[in-house]
């Protein structure tokens, strides 16, 4: 029987990629002239990361991509991550075009280590430019949805939706719950962005539904499945789909309308600075 080569952990694979593209102390001009890569504006760009900051950012983002592919797509070998997988990863993050463009610039540098070509990255960039909002456009409008009480999803997806709509959880927090570790009676313990631990008191009926839909002690819902179902439901109401994160915007605005102060809403959202919450209250 032929042995199957082990690809190693995500961290191991990313470390190899970063090592190959470490441009610290190397000439950026020389790398530009030999890389064969071009930026969105047509200018030559290096295929190396020439500062510690850009190197650290690339390491973090590639690790995030690798973990997403492993968990959500079942792809353990990063060289097998194709353009559709990268597209799903970007769409799952609910970001602006500006941020997505930065991710694609990093992917373009290391494309030979993934299952994508420079042309595919270029085409995806053009597609996202049409579909995603720029940061300047986003600042001018709200992302909140209206009439979320009328949105009805399948039984399993409805649980995550209610956790977001009624309690302000992020999609990641609302789609992955370990009953033994996180549920104590009707109290849910969850880890917010940045690692902060928080707890909320849930409706007993919702707790029962979480338990009913759990498998091997875990309630888990594929983000792609949830997002697509939510998109169809939102668009049926005549509204533009602003991603799953738009539900948090609705939560923040609803709490403000209920009479909570901006500081209280900020604490409910788990923001470490009150000014972050202001973007949700437009």
């Amino acid at each position: 029987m032929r042995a199957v080569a082990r690809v190693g952990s995500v961290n191991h694979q990313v470390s190899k990629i970063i090592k190959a593209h470490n441009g610290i102390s190397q000439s950026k001009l020389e790398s530009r002239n030999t890389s064969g890569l071009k930026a969105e504006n047509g200018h030559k760009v290096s295929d190396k990361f020439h500062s510690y900051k850009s190197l650290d950012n690339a390491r973090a983002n590639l690790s995030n991509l690798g973990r997403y592919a492993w968990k959500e797509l079942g792809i353990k070998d990063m060289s097998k991550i194709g353009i559709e997988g990268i597209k799903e990863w970007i769409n799952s993050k609910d970001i602006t075009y500006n941020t997505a463009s930065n991710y694609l610039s990093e992917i373009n540098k290391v494309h030979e280590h993934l299952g994508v070509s420079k042309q595919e990255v270029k085409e995806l960039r053009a597609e996202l430019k049409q579909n995603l909002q720029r940061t300047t456009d986003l600042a001018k409008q709200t992302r909140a949805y209206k009439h979320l009480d009328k949105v009805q999803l399948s039984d399993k997806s409805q649980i995550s939706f209610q956790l977001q709509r009624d309690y302000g959880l992020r999609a990641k927090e609302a789609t992955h719950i370990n009953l033994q570790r996180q549920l104590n009676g009707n109290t849910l313990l969850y880890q917010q962005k940045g690692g902060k631990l928080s707890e909320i008191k849930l409706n007993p009926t919702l707790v029962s539904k979480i338990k009913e839909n759990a498998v091997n002690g875990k309630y888990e819902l594929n983000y792609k499945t949830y997002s697509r179902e939510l998109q169809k439901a939102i668009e049926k109401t005549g509204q533009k789909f602003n991603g799953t994160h738009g539900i948090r915007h609705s939560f923040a605005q609803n709490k403000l309308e209920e009479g909570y102060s901006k500081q209280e809403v900020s604490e409910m959202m788990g923001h470490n600075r009150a000014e972050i919450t202001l973007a949700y209250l437009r």
Side-chain angles (χ1 to χ4, degrees):
M1 181 180 291
R2 185 177 180 181
V4 178
R6 297 184 63 182
V7 297
S9 67
V10 168
N11 288 342
H12 175 71
Q13 294 179 72
V14 170
S15 292
K16 290 177 65 176
I17 295 173
I18 291 297
K19 183 178 180 180
H21 292 269
N22 186 335
I24 302 296
S25 301
Q26 294 186 23
S27 169
K28 186 181 291 187
L29 178 60
E30 183 179 338
S31 294
R32 284 175 179 168
N33 291 331
T34 59
S35 71
L37 299 180
K38 291 185 178 181
E40 188 175 2
N41 58 14
H43 294 167
K44 293 180 180 180
V45 294
S46 170
D47 62 349
K48 300 288 194 297
F49 300 103
H50 294 276
S51 71
Y52 289 109
K53 181 177 180 181
S54 63
L55 205 63
D56 288 342
N57 287 341
R59 186 190 303 276
N61 293 331
L62 288 171
S63 296
N64 189 274
L65 169 61
R67 287 192 293 270
Y68 178 88
W70 193 311
K71 187 169 186 178
E72 301 294 338
L73 306 177
I75 301 174
K76 297 182 179 181
D77 185 347
M78 292 186 67
S79 68
K80 300 295 192 297
I81 302 176
I83 199 66
E84 286 301 317
I86 291 172
K87 180 180 177 181
E88 287 183 25
W89 171 66
I90 289 177
N91 286 333
S92 76
K93 299 181 80 62
D94 191 36
I95 53 180
T96 64
Y97 171 73
N98 306 63
T99 303
S101 181
N102 290 336
Y103 289 158
L104 290 178
S105 294
E106 295 173 342
I107 289 170
N108 202 34
K109 289 180 185 291
V110 304
H111 70 276
E112 72 273 19
H113 299 279
L114 306 173
V116 296
S117 66
K118 291 184 290 185
Q119 182 60 30
E120 286 177 318
V121 174
K122 182 179 179 180
E123 292 172 357
L124 178 56
R125 188 191 295 275
E127 179 182 340
L128 295 177
K129 191 172 184 178
Q130 294 293 321
N131 296 336
L132 295 181
Q133 296 170 300
R134 290 182 178 271
T135 302
T136 52
D137 296 332
L138 191 60
K140 299 176 183 177
Q141 58 184 287
T142 179
R143 300 178 68 184
Y145 300 117
K146 297 180 179 179
H147 312 302
L148 287 181
D149 57 314
K150 297 180 180 179
V151 172
Q152 188 66 40
L153 308 180
S154 63
D155 289 346
K156 190 169 185 178
S157 294
Q158 187 70 16
I159 294 171
S160 294
F161 173 63
Q162 285 184 231
L163 287 168
Q164 286 205 277
R165 182 194 65 189
D166 300 340
Y167 301 97
L169 269 64
R170 295 176 176 84
K172 182 179 180 180
E173 300 157 0
T175 54
H176 295 82
I177 299 175
N178 184 308
L179 272 61
Q180 184 176 0
R181 295 179 181 176
Q182 295 180 255
L183 271 181
N184 182 13
N186 295 326
T187 300
L188 175 67
L189 177 69
Y190 62 101
Q191 189 174 47
Q192 296 192 23
K193 186 177 180 180
K196 179 183 177 181
L197 290 177
S198 295
E199 61 179 43
I200 49 173
K201 195 83 168 179
L202 300 180
N203 181 297
T205 302
L206 181 57
V207 172
S208 296
K209 290 181 179 179
I210 292 173
K211 293 178 178 179
E212 290 170 7
N213 285 272
V215 177
N216 296 325
K218 295 180 180 179
Y219 165 76
E220 295 183 309
L221 179 62
N222 180 273
Y223 176 84
K224 178 180 174 182
T225 301
Y226 174 51
S227 181
R228 285 182 174 177
E229 188 175 347
L230 179 64
Q231 180 175 0
K232 291 179 181 179
I234 292 295
E235 290 177 346
K236 279 185 179 180
T237 67
Q239 301 178 77
K240 179 182 177 181
F241 182 61
N242 292 321
T244 59
H245 211 64
I247 305 175
R248 271 173 62 84
H249 286 250
S250 301
F251 173 82
Q253 294 187 19
N254 289 339
K255 290 302 177 184
L256 191 66
E257 292 173 3
E258 289 173 13
Y260 290 94
S261 68
K262 292 180 180 180
Q263 180 60 42
E264 288 173 322
V265 174
S266 182
E267 292 173 359
M268 292 178 189
M269 300 284 286
H271 292 152
N272 54 18
R273 299 194 315 274
E275 56 265 29
I276 297 176
T277 313
L278 297 179
Y280 291 75
L281 300 177
R282 293 191 182 95

